């Protein structure tokens, strides 16, 4: 629709208080001076959690939860209004709009407390209030800077299926609605400020895209509007070569591929919602991760090719708070359906399976899930295998919560021989025991399971083994082969 369009998404900390909202407005205003901008906002930091907690407290009959919620929301947002909006009338009008949303969500909580029942639809209606409030604040802050801006509810733009809490967009319907609604605004040089996280079914029932879903909102809109680029403004400098709390010399990556970014999102680098890149990768629309607190920094650009380097490895990620579950026993050899039964049990516990590995003899199937899902999963497994355990066909279901996953990530690892070898010998030299290994068939990562207590050392060792503290040279660059080979 507009070859000059930027979609800019601001995360919860980037609109965390009045000062941050003003900074976000300045970023949008600058871009709007040069081209078209659609802004997408998250709720102010912490608000969505508060809404969900109030909904859950109400569901167990806590009548006071609604009132407490209303008071905290009022304080937080009213405080921002007073700082952001100078004119008395405009301030009163904005306050009245926000008050209406707060009253709506408060009565939903009251109703929930009376019925002691929280349906997924009601939870969506409650948890979406934060974005409806913050979009109005950012639009007002933009108008204060002289930019024509309008808060828009994404229920008017993003059409989804009816899976409350984890809705998926219907792209062609969304393209139609979003274009019809936004094109006239953009034509008159107005900035739409859209609520992230939210959508609606074809017949208008509000849905949400899942926690952290505002990133996804931004790329859905960017894709259907044929944006030039999408910028995710957040509170970190971009995607790093490792978690800086584990590796102080970690660097910001200039450019990575969609595949690498997706792999990093999956393995714990929580910069992006895992589904974020789906809508844009086919159309090759670049996505930037940038720091709204340091807008002069470039950030990380995510593209189809992603600045490949000779080194192959781009980043090392680590994930703790995970649990290894092993289903094993000699009887498993040749016993049909054990894997199916195992993962059906994990699925009925709604556990997110992060990694799977099976020993070649078939004696053990092990997999890793979030520790929070472990108790439920083990209960499901014991029930599913009750008779096999009794007949000793399955000898044990064991649980090890004292582990971590470390993943070596990079698109060029495929076709770069020796990366797994270097990984294992770097750890072997340090006497580190590797509990299990998995390589994604995509070859974008090699993942290792190690003891939790050794995670930091493993990440540091691999980060320096692959020279990630130094800036990578471009694969296509004219640098000499030997210089490249030495990195
Ligand atoms: N506010 C929502 C959440 O906290 C969506 C988002 O921030 O992306 O999950
Ligand atoms: Mg977020």
């Amino acid at each position: 629709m507009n070859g000059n369009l930027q979609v800019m998404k601001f995360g919860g900390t980037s609109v965390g208080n009045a000062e941050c909202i003003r900074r976000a407005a300045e970023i949008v205003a600058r871009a709007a001076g040069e081209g078209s901008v659609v802004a997408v906002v998250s709720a102010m930091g912490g608000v969505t959690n508060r809404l969900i907690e109030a909904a859950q407290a109400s569901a167990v009959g806590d009548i006071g939860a609604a009132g407490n919620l209303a008071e905290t929301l009022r304080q937080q947002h009213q405080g921002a209004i007073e700082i952001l909006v100078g004119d008395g009338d405009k301030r009163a009008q904005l306050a009245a709009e926000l008050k209406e949303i707060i009253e709506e969500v408060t009565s939903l909580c009251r109703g929930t407390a009376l019925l002691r029942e929280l349906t997924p639809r009601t939870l969506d209606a409650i948890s979406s209030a934060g974005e409806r409030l913050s979009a109005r604040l950012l639009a007002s802050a933009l108008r204060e800077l002289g930019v024509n801006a309008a808060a828009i509810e994404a229920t008017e733009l993003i059409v989804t299926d009816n899976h409350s809490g984890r809705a998926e967009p219907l792209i062609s319907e969304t393209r139609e609605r979003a274009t019809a609604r936004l094109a006239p605004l953009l034509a008159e040089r107005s900035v739409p400020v859209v609520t992230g996280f939210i959508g609606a079914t074809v017949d208008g029932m509000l849905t949400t895209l899942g926690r952290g879903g505002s990133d996804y909102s931004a790329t859905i809109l960017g894709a259907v509007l044929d944006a030039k680029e999408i910028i995710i403004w957040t509170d970190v400098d971009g995607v790093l070569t490792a978690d800086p709390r584990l590796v102080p010399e970690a660097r910001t990556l200039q450019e990575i591929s969609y595949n690498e970014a997706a792999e990093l999102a999956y393995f714990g680098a929580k910069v992006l919602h895992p589904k974020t890149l789906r809508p844009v990768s086919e159309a090759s629309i670049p996505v930037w991760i940038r720091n709204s607190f340091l807008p002069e920094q470039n950030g990380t650009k995510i593209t189809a090719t992603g600045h490949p380097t000779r080194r192959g490895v781009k980043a090392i990620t680590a994930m703790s708070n995970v649990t290894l579950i092993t289903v094993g026993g000699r009887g498993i050899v040749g016993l049909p359906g054990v894997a199916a039964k195992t993962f059906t049990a994990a699925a009925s516990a709604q556990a997110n399976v992060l990694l799977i590995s099976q020993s070649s003899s078939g004696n053990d199937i092990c997999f890793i899930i979030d520790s929070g899902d472990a108790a439920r999963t083990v209960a499901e497994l014991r029930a599913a295998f009750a008779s096999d355990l009794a007949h000793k066909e399955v000898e044990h279901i064991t649980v090890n919560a004292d582990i971590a996953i470390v993943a070596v990530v990079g698109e060029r690892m495929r076709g770069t021989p020796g990366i797994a070898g270097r990984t294992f010998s770097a750890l072997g030299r340090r006497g580190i025991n590797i509990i299990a290994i998995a390589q994604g068939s995509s070859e974008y990562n090699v993942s290792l399971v190690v003891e939790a207590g050794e995670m930091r050392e493993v990440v540091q060792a691999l980060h320096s083994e692959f020279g990630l503290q130094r800036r990578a040279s471009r694969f296509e660059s004219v640098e000499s082969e030997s210089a490249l080979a030495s990195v």
Side-chain angles (χ1 to χ4, degrees), residues 50 127 166 173 223 309 314 335 342 352 372 381 444-445 459 465:
R50 234 163 265 139
S127 60
R166 55 184 172 90
E173 288 85 342
T309 65
K314 284 285 187 68
L335 192 67
T342 302
N352 180 20
L381 282 170
Y444 304 141
N445 87 76
V459 176
E465 174 67 29

Side-chain angles (χ1 to χ4, degrees), residues 9 11-12 42 212 214-215:
K9 179 259 176 177
S42 286
S214 299
D215 295 339

Side-chain angles (χ1 to χ4, degrees), residues 42-91:
S42 286
M44 291 176 85
V47 168
T48 311
N49 283 344
R50 234 163 265 139
L51 290 163
I52 293 173
E53 280 158 22
Q56 286 166 343
S58 303
V60 294
D62 179 351
I63 293 283
N68 294 338
L69 174 70
E71 187 48 30
T72 4
L73 291 180
R74 203 192 55 75
Q75 274 178 18
Q76 191 171 0
H77 293 85
Q78 188 61 39
I81 294 175
E82 272 153 31
I83 299 170
L84 288 171
V85 184
D87 177 80
D89 286 346
K90 287 183 186 155
R91 200 190 276 178

Side-chain angles (χ1 to χ4, degrees), residues 253-260 301-309 314 411-412 474 476:
L253 289 154
Q254 281 183 328
E255 188 173 335
I256 58 174
S257 70
Y258 296 125
N259 291 326
E260 288 165 341
K301 188 179 189 183
I302 309 174
T303 60
T305 52
H307 191 106
T309 65
K314 284 285 187 68
E411 179 134 24
R412 282 276 159 179
R474 198 177 175 86
E476 301 87 342

Side-chain angles (χ1 to χ4, degrees), residues 105-441:
V105 77
T106 316
S107 49
L108 284 171
C109 285
R110 286 218 180 85
T112 301
L114 289 174
L115 295 167
R116 293 193 182 226
E117 187 193 27
L118 179 61
T119 65
R121 284 186 188 202
T122 307
L123 179 59
D124 269 0
I126 294 172
S127 60
S128 61
E131 275 73 9
R132 300 177 60 208
L133 296 167
S134 64
R136 285 164 173 82
L137 286 175
L138 181 58
S140 294
L142 277 164
R143 288 193 291 266
E144 287 291 305
L145 297 178
V147 177
N148 201 354
I152 306 283
E153 305 267 346
T155 45
E156 294 184 58
L157 312 177
I158 297 184
V159 185
T160 70
D161 63 19
N162 62 1
H163 285 120
S164 300
R166 55 184 172 90
E168 281 298 335
L170 306 177
I171 292 296
S172 58
E173 288 85 342
T174 301
R175 173 170 291 122
E176 218 170 279
R177 274 199 202 176
T179 309
R181 181 73 174 95
L182 299 182
L185 290 172
L186 295 172
E188 64 187 36
R189 302 200 59 73
S190 176
V191 174
V193 181
V194 180
T195 56
F197 183 48
I198 310 175
T201 59
V202 182
D203 38 61
M205 181 187 83
L206 184 145
T207 54
T208 63
L209 306 174
R211 292 307 308 272
S214 299
D215 295 339
Y216 197 22
S217 308
T219 51
I220 293 167
L221 289 175
V224 301
L225 299 173
D226 297 323
K228 173 180 80 171
E229 61 187 13
I230 293 146
I231 305 178
I232 309 275
W233 290 99
T234 178
D235 56 359
V236 294
D237 290 346
V239 179
L240 301 189
T241 52
D243 182 339
R245 287 166 301 185
L246 297 174
V247 185
E249 61 273 26
R251 270 186 321 104
T252 305
L253 289 154
Q254 281 183 328
E255 188 173 335
I256 58 174
S257 70
Y258 296 125
N259 291 326
E260 288 165 341
E263 211 77 45
L264 291 169
Y266 185 74
F267 280 110
K270 293 223 170 55
V271 193
L272 279 182
H273 185 278
K275 291 177 189 163
T276 307
L277 298 167
R278 284 185 199 170
V280 289
S281 54
E282 207 174 301
S284 287
I285 301 172
V287 177
W288 291 85
I289 313 289
R290 298 185 60 181
N291 191 339
S292 67
F293 297 85
L294 293 168
E296 60 286 354
Q297 308 243 16
N298 274 335
T300 300
K301 188 179 189 183
I302 309 174
T303 60
T305 52
H307 191 106
T309 65
R310 278 278 183 216
R311 176 188 291 169
V313 175
K314 284 285 187 68
I316 313 293
T317 64
M319 216 173 176
S320 49
N321 293 322
V322 292
T323 294
L324 175 73
I325 297 182
T326 307
V327 177
R330 262 169 306 140
I332 282 194
V333 189
L335 192 67
V338 173
K341 230 168 167 179
T342 302
F343 295 111
T344 306
S348 31
Q350 302 216 329
N352 180 20
V353 178
L354 299 164
L355 186 150
I356 299 171
S357 164
Q358 179 169 26
S359 71
S360 58
S361 63
N363 275 355
D364 275 338
I365 292 173
C366 56
F367 62 99
I368 296 185
I369 55 177
D370 288 330
S371 290
D373 297 335
R376 262 181 296 131
T377 306
V378 171
E380 291 284 348
L381 282 170
R382 292 209 190 283
F385 284 107
S387 78
D388 308 86
L389 286 163
H391 298 114
K392 294 269 189 293
E393 273 150 349
V394 168
E395 281 161 4
H396 55 259
I397 294 171
T398 56
V399 179
N400 182 354
D402 213 16
I403 55 133
I405 303 175
V406 175
V408 178
V409 175
E411 179 134 24
R412 282 276 159 179
M413 287 163 48
R414 170 178 45 194
T416 306
I419 289 187
R422 272 176 81 181
T423 303
F424 301 133
S425 40
L427 301 184
R429 283 197 303 276
R430 289 173 174 81
I432 289 166
N433 176 36
I434 300 171
I435 300 167
I437 301 164
Q439 174 165 31
S441 58

